[in-house]
Structures are given as C-alpha cells and as structure tokens.
C-alpha cells in the first residue's frame, strides 16, 4: 500500500527494529546555499511521490562547512529503495546511494535528546571480515573509554556496506564543540591509531553534518 510521507522534526531513529536496509548518498556542493537548494529538490521529489510499503524514512543533511550534502534513507528490506529511486524525477533525488546494513550501535547517553551534530566517519576496508573486525575494535574502545573522554557523544552507529568495501560510523553528538573536544582526546587518538595499524583498513576521514529536512511514514 502506497502512502505519502510526513515531515519529521528530528532525524532518523537509527536503531528502529524494522529498518533492515540503509542507503547513504553524499556529494559536493558549491556552498551552503547551493546545498540547501539541492536538498530541498530531493525532499520535494520524495514527498510528492507515494512511498511503497517498506520505505521508512529519508533524512537530508548539510555539512557544517557547506561543502557536502548527505542523504540517509531507511527501508524494511533491500528490494524497496531501488525501484522507488528509479521512479523519481531526474535530478539530485536520483543520485545512486551506497547500500549499508546497520551492524552495531554503541549508545553512550540515551537521555541526551536529539543530536545537534551528526558526524559521518568512513573506512575503506578489504572485505566483510575486515568490516566486522574494525567495528568491534572501535566499538570496544568506545565502550571501555572513561566517560569524560567522550562527553557529548550520544551514540555511534556502525554500518557495513553490502559490497564489503566500506564501514560508516554514523555518530550522534550533542554539539560541534563536544566533537571537537573529543578529537583532541585520548579515546579518539587510540581509535584512529588502531584503525591505521589494522591491515586491510584505511580511514577515509570524517565530516560534521546538521539535519536539514526529514520525512517518514511511521515508527517502529
């Protein structure tokens, strides 16, 4: 059954139990105004097209430096997103995404409320075993870190690309300032060193984003 989505006031519920497939796309834009205009085109295309059953949410983000936009879509399964995307009008709404699955979440502060900043950190990896290995390594570091060493981190959500080539840490933070303080701390340096020293794993980097607009058709 098809339904029109509704605007959401917050970003996605990343750990919702019915979201079994995630699709992430990102590309460079010519500044913040251009980025907002591009994302508005994406949202308009998605909100004017009835969603098939199993399409759950779309969240659009603009990088804090205005250089990049990112979209994050959740589906109940792997067979929904592709046909829907191909039916959208030509333009930015049809940018081909990378298919991911949420593998593990480390929730540090569940009472923190809606995140003020989203940090997307990526790793290039050599296959599924390396994906799981680096996620377990970094997740264990976060779980064992002193509370003060990651103040402001709400949760880190580790996604594995379906093709075995990428890991995405979609991390929710209270603010840019909290993440900046974390970058100078021991926990981050230890996680980065472990990633750099792990064969078959190459850190790509990170970027901070803020939610621009979000759509959904229900909750878990």
């Amino acid at each position: 059954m098809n339904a029109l989505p509704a605007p959401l006031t917050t970003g996605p519920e990343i750990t919702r139990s019915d979201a079994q497939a995630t699709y992430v796309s990102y590309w460079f834009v010519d500044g913040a105004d251009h980025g907002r205009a591009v994302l508005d085109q994406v949202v308009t295309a998605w909100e004017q097209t009835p969603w098939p059953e199993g399409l759950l949410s779309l969240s659009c983000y603009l990088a804090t430096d205005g250089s990049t936009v990112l979209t994050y879509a959740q589906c109940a399964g792997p067979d929904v997103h592709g046909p829907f995307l191909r039916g959208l009008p030509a333009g930015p709404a049809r940018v081909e995404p990378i298919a991911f699955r949420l593998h593990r979440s480390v929730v540090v502060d569940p009472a923190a409320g809606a995140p003020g900043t989203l940090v997307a950190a990526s790793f290039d990896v050599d296959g599924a075993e390396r994906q799981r290995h680096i996620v377990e390594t970094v997740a264990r570091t976060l779980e064992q870190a002193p509370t003060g060493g990651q103040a402001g981190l709400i949760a880190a959500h580790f996604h594995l690309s379906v093709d075995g080539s990428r890991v995405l840490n979609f991390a929710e933070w209270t603010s840019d300032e909290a993440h900046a303080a974390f970058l100078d701390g021991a926990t981050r340096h230890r996680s980065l060193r472990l990633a750099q020293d792990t064969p078959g794993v190459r850190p790509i980097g990170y970027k901070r984003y803020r939610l621009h607009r979000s759509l959904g058709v229900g909750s878990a």
Side-chain angles (χ1 to χ4, degrees), residues 21-200:
T22 301
Y23 299 88
V24 179
S25 61
Y26 51 91
W27 61 99
F28 290 103
V29 291
D30 188 19
D33 288 342
H34 180 222
R36 283 187 284 268
V38 166
L39 292 177
D40 285 340
Q41 289 183 54
V42 173
V43 171
T44 297
W46 279 63
E47 69 182 349
Q48 293 181 351
T49 304
W51 287 18
E53 185 175 356
L55 189 57
L56 305 176
S57 76
L58 170 73
S59 298
C60 296
Y61 296 85
L62 176 66
T64 56
D65 64 4
S67 67
T68 314
V69 294
L70 180 149
T71 65
Y72 182 100
Q74 294 173 300
C75 297
D79 301 323
V80 178
H81 187 269
F84 174 81
L85 201 70
R86 290 190 290 272
L88 294 175
R94 290 179 63 177
V95 169
E96 194 68 28
I98 300 172
F100 287 92
R101 290 190 299 267
L102 178 63
H103 177 67
R104 179 173 177 180
S105 293
V106 176
V107 179
V108 177
D109 187 0
T117 296
L118 188 286
V119 179
S122 300
F123 303 85
D124 180 52
V125 298
D126 294 340
E129 187 277 332
R130 293 288 87 184
Q131 285 180 313
R132 294 189 294 270
H133 177 84
I134 192 58
V135 167
E136 295 308 311
T137 299
V138 175
R140 187 163 54 248
T141 299
L142 293 176
E143 290 173 334
Q144 296 175 352
T147 303
Q150 49 195 6
L153 175 61
I154 300 171
H157 305 282
F158 296 95
H159 298 67
L160 310 183
S161 68
V162 174
D163 66 3
S165 69
R166 293 284 184 93
V167 170
L168 172 67
N169 177 9
F170 210 60
E172 298 170 301
W173 288 83
T174 56
S175 66
D176 292 351
E177 293 76 16
H179 180 247
F182 170 79
L183 294 179
D184 292 330
T187 300
R188 191 260 179 169
H189 288 292
R190 182 165 185 266
S191 297
L192 183 59
R193 185 172 64 253
L194 288 169
Q196 291 172 334
D197 292 344
T198 300

